[in-house]
Amino acid sequence: MLKPILVAALLLLTTYLYNKLRYHRFHQHAKIPQMPPSLPFGHLKTLDALIKRGEPDRHPDVMFSEMHEALGRPPLIFVDFRPVNRPMVLVSSHEIAEQVSKPSKDFPTSIPKTDLSYLVHLTGPNSILHAHGDKWKALRKRYSPAFAPQHLLTLLPCVLDKTSIFVKNLDTLARAGESFSLLTQAINLTFDIIGAVVMDVDLEAQPSNPSHQGELVKLYIELYQAYWDDKADLPRWLIPRVQLKRRRLAKRINVLLKDIIRNKFVEQRARGAQDGRFRSILSLSLQSTNTVTPELIDETCDQIKTFLLAGHDTTSITLSWVFYWLSRTPRALEAVRRELDNLLGPDTELEAVCSRFLSPDGADLVHRMPYVSAVIKETLRLHPPSATARYAKPGTGFTIRAPDGDDYCLDGMIIYNCESLIQRDPAIYGDSAEYFRPERWLSDTDDSSIPASAWRPFERGPRNCIGQEFAMIELRVIVAAVARRFDFTKAGLGELALDQNKQPVIGEHGIYNAKSLLYSTRQVNAKPVDGMMMKIKPAPKRDN
């Protein structure tokens, strides 16, 4: 008698689970455009098939772009990653992205970010990245004065000092004539700059002998690289050895950073909080502090780790792509050099460039580089290093309105503002959406009406990047110091295609053709897969 009851109960349970799974796969979010789902695997099989079509280490945004094209470029796409992860909505419309990132009555600081706890060893648990609501507001308020435009311009001498070392290292590489990773050199430069402007310390990230690199930088790079092979943010229990390594390295970094914080506080108190020598972000954040408690040290340590992460990564990746695109676009390189000649004078020697930026009108010069700025903006459009993902809990009723007037409730799903799609939208950027065209950002072009919300590499709304203005200043100064001094040539993947006379071939939109496609991979953020291997030589003298 018991056996038939158990069989019936099992059949009922199986039927219930089957119907529930079928509902989740085929009906729950059927209104949102999506690829055909699989009953057991959702869209995981589709993603796997797309990955196998090309290089397996391509950035996930490449596969998302292929889905987007296959579906006819809808403003948003549903991707079902269950049971591996929460279901996700890819946002490809700048209008929807703006609704996600702006504040509202229910979300005064905009929709909260998704769970970033997998980065906790890189950023610390108290990082502004992990904070929400009042906690986030307090941290933002505490550090905002350090990123005020008038203060950032006082950091020019520091940026120039570290850039000088970078240029000298490039001089050495030019004499050697061998290929090298431009990304590695740029990472070292940006670590040096961040160490100086954030903590007023020399991290010794750019020694002529790499074995002499500072301990803190070595440890942080090793920790960062411990995340590179984790393409799917795997649960910690699945990668115990990697987690142990991350924890060990993070502890050593914390010890070094907390010593710096304590020493800087003691030094600042001894000399007086208003001493003009205290220009670092750390010093400004400690100005109104009378006592450094363990809690304050922990919190400050985590913000510094966050600035190290964000500050070195975005700028180094962008620099690598800037010089790649300038090496492939002769008209853009000529326009950059001509603008810098007119602004800084014909002398391209490092001392002369630094002297101009350190002159009384130096701060003004930083904002008088429209074409250089356009090159940087266009590079960030094509290659946004990072993106934002948000999450509204089930039941919150977070609803967006698509351009066609349809409403979609997105709570309970990861909401991914996919900059790679938003910033290459042909409806906004036209037929040249996939091409490097800095001129689109100049005020006297037909493209000058591009909506502000269609360019968002630093995101927008209350939770935009706090350091974006400093990143733009830093990038302009570095480009100004380097662009007229060296000619870059891509080596290996993405190198130029040459004709029978060994000359580069101009292709569509005035860009040199390449033998192969240089693509990005996911290493926490989107990086050129080969580290941007380059060869350089001194640029020829220009006629003025």
Side-chain angles (χ1 to χ4, degrees), residues 169-473:
N169 287 343
L170 292 182
D171 281 335
T172 301
L173 291 165
R175 288 192 294 271
E178 298 176 354
S179 59
F180 66 97
S181 168
L182 178 58
L183 180 61
T184 297
Q185 295 296 320
I187 285 172
N188 293 341
L189 164 62
T190 51
F191 264 124
D192 247 0
I193 292 174
I194 289 298
V197 303
V198 172
M199 298 178 285
D200 192 24
V201 297
D202 183 0
L203 292 181
E204 299 176 316
Q206 302 183 90
S208 54
N209 184 341
S211 65
H212 297 160
Q213 193 172 52
E215 182 184 8
L216 180 57
V217 173
K218 281 184 178 179
L219 288 171
Y220 199 91
I221 290 175
E222 187 179 355
L223 173 59
Y224 194 49
Q225 290 174 344
Y227 282 82
W228 284 10
D229 291 331
D230 183 5
K231 304 299 184 188
D233 309 330
L234 294 172
R236 300 174 193 180
W237 54 270
L238 280 178
I239 47 174
R241 292 181 63 185
V242 174
Q243 277 297 105
L244 286 172
K245 180 179 181 180
R246 292 173 181 173
R247 188 178 296 114
R248 172 178 56 81
L249 291 168
K251 285 182 178 179
R252 293 175 64 188
I253 290 169
N254 288 346
V255 169
L256 295 175
L257 286 177
K258 289 177 181 180
D259 281 345
I260 291 172
I261 294 167
R262 293 187 190 96
N263 291 338
K264 287 297 175 183
F265 177 75
V266 171
E267 181 182 342
Q268 184 161 323
R269 295 288 289 177
R271 294 186 180 177
Q274 302 306 316
D275 191 315
R277 285 167 289 189
F278 294 102
R279 294 287 188 180
S280 73
I281 291 170
L282 170 60
S283 296
L284 288 174
S285 72
L286 294 175
Q287 272 189 353
S288 59
T289 302
N290 295 319
T291 306
V292 281
T293 63
E295 293 77 19
L296 178 62
I297 290 176
D298 287 343
E299 182 183 278
T300 305
C301 175
D302 291 351
Q303 307 322 314
I304 291 174
K305 288 167 72 175
T306 302
F307 294 144
L308 285 172
L309 170 63
H312 94 272
D313 219 28
T314 298
T315 310
S316 60
I317 293 168
T318 304
L319 276 175
S320 299
W321 284 110
V322 161
F323 290 115
Y324 171 75
W325 281 114
L326 288 178
S327 75
R328 285 192 59 189
T329 318
R331 76 170 192 287
L333 179 59
E334 173 58 28
V336 164
R337 287 173 169 172
R338 186 169 57 249
E339 178 173 272
L340 293 174
D341 283 345
N342 293 335
L343 185 70
L344 303 176
D347 192 345
T348 63
E349 289 300 314
L350 192 58
E351 293 76 10
V353 173
C354 290
S355 177
R356 287 290 286 128
F357 278 119
L358 294 175
S359 67
D361 63 340
D364 182 53
L365 296 178
V366 172
H367 297 292
R368 287 167 51 196
M369 294 187 245
Y371 198 88
V372 170
S373 297
V375 164
I376 295 167
K377 284 193 71 171
E378 183 70 347
T379 302
L380 284 164
R381 181 186 74 82
L382 290 173
H383 306 284
S386 58
T388 187
R390 309 295 182 98
Y391 180 73
K393 293 179 180 179
T396 54
F398 175 67
T399 301
I400 57 87
R401 175 156 294 176
D404 62 5
D406 284 348
D407 291 337
Y408 297 90
C409 180
L410 304 184
D411 58 1
M413 292 180 275
I414 295 171
I415 307 168
Y416 177 31
N417 279 356
C418 187
E419 276 82 356
S420 294
L421 293 177
I422 295 168
Q423 298 182 169
R424 296 187 183 215
D425 185 355
I428 302 298
Y429 294 101
D431 294 339
S432 64
E434 297 289 333
Y435 294 93
F436 182 73
R437 187 172 172 269
E439 294 80 9
R440 76 176 81 246
W441 300 109
L442 302 179
S443 58
D444 58 350
T445 65
D446 294 336
D447 303 69
S448 56
S449 61
I450 294 171
S453 57
W455 186 82
R456 47 198 317 126
F458 299 107
E459 249 312 314
R460 289 170 54 80
R463 297 207 61 154
N464 64 359
C465 174
I466 193 173
Q468 60 182 294
E469 180 63 25
F470 177 68
M472 293 299 287
I473 291 172

Side-chain angles (χ1 to χ4, degrees), residues 163 167 340 348 350 353 357 476-485:
T163 302
V167 170
L340 293 174
T348 63
L350 192 58
V353 173
F357 278 119
R476 289 187 206 116
V477 170
I478 297 168
V479 171
V482 172
R484 295 183 297 167
R485 190 177 182 88

